Amino acid sequence: MTRLIFLGPPGAGKGTQAQMLASDCSVPHISTGDILRAAVADGTELGKKAEAYMSAGELVPDDLILDLIQERLAQEDAQMGWVLDGFPRNVSQAEFLIKLLEKIEQPADFVVNLDVADEVIVTRLLKRGRADDEEGVIRHRLEVYRKQTAPLIDFYRDRQQLVSVDGNQPMEAVYASLQAVIRS
Ligand code: AMP
């Protein structure tokens, strides 16, 4: 049973690492960003509400995200574990998640923080070329990360759930460190 939460700035390689790990552990990779992008592409109500926030590099309001994650974690394939990527993104989401996981009796094993230097982040994001990867939006997403998401590092450290992995190395080396941390 694997239940992991991934933290890290945009461009840390979170998505790639979370996806590889989920696949190796045979559990779903749950990315709120992927779910939202699919909703935008499908033109659903959720997608219509989320789109403007996403293209501006802002967080989508909690009331849209909390229902979404609760429903996703209730699905059949999530009962044997999961890797969460992109959720929680702020302290109120983290508090909601703790209560939710207690209620469904599925505590997280731990929280992985992918530690990456600022210079590495902007270079990686500019290479990715996603719709919200234009330089101004990137800078704004980093600011939002620092203000709203980075406080979760201390939040989970205080709860003794945090492990840090050096994300400045090439992808394969990061994955090897990640596996070492998880096994130990
Ligand atoms: P990501 O793919 O995780 O980088 O997410 C892309 C965008 O989706 C973010 O910039 C936000 O606009 C939105 N998003 C993803 N996850 C969340 C979340 N947990 N809370 C609020 N907004 C989110």
Side-chain angles (χ1 to χ4, degrees):
M1 190 84 68
T2 305
R3 295 191 199 98
L4 289 180
I5 297 168
F6 265 76
L7 287 184
K14 229 179 341 118
T16 310
Q17 299 292 331
Q19 207 161 4
M20 291 198 289
L21 197 65
S23 151
D24 281 352
C25 299
S26 305
V27 295
H29 166 228
I30 301 180
S31 154
T32 44
D34 284 352
I35 297 172
L36 290 169
R37 277 184 291 278
V40 171
D42 293 345
T44 66
E45 277 311 303
L46 170 68
K48 282 179 202 154
K49 289 180 189 156
E51 191 168 15
Y53 297 99
M54 295 171 75
S55 49
E58 292 287 340
L59 293 186
V60 168
D62 285 354
D63 59 336
L64 296 179
I65 294 289
L66 300 182
D67 284 350
L68 182 159
I69 201 77
Q70 184 156 9
E71 280 166 25
R72 184 62 189 88
L73 289 179
Q75 283 170 19
E76 177 94 41
D77 66 337
Q79 303 318 303
M80 299 304 285
W82 31 256
V83 174
L84 283 190
D85 164 15
F87 184 93
R89 244 356 195 264
N90 59 32
V91 172
S92 73
Q93 291 182 7
E95 283 169 344
F96 175 88
L97 182 63
I98 285 167
K99 289 206 194 89
L100 173 63
L101 296 181
E102 270 170 17
K103 194 173 81 185
I104 62 178
E105 298 180 357
Q106 297 182 0
D109 304 328
F110 43 82
V111 178
V112 178
N113 178 42
L114 272 188
D115 227 346
V116 182
D118 281 8
E119 317 85 74
V120 179
I121 294 171
V122 179
T123 318
R124 282 191 191 163
L125 287 175
L126 284 172
K127 269 196 219 147
R128 196 164 69 174
R130 209 170 72 189
D132 54 354
D133 286 341
E134 180 267 320
E135 190 161 357
V137 181
I138 289 177
R139 293 202 185 284
H140 188 61
R141 284 186 17 238
L142 276 173
E143 223 175 273
V144 169
Y145 167 79
R146 283 196 195 100
K147 282 205 190 113
Q148 304 197 50
T149 310
L152 294 181
I153 296 173
D154 282 340
F155 178 93
Y156 282 117
R157 191 183 284 125
D158 290 348
R159 292 180 55 91
Q160 299 179 347
Q161 282 191 292
L162 193 81
V163 295
S164 268
V165 170
D166 179 2
N168 294 293
Q169 328 159 69
M171 187 185 80
E172 295 78 9
V174 176
Y175 194 60
S177 313
L178 183 60
Q179 284 176 311
V181 159
I182 285 167
R183 282 198 210 99
S184 64

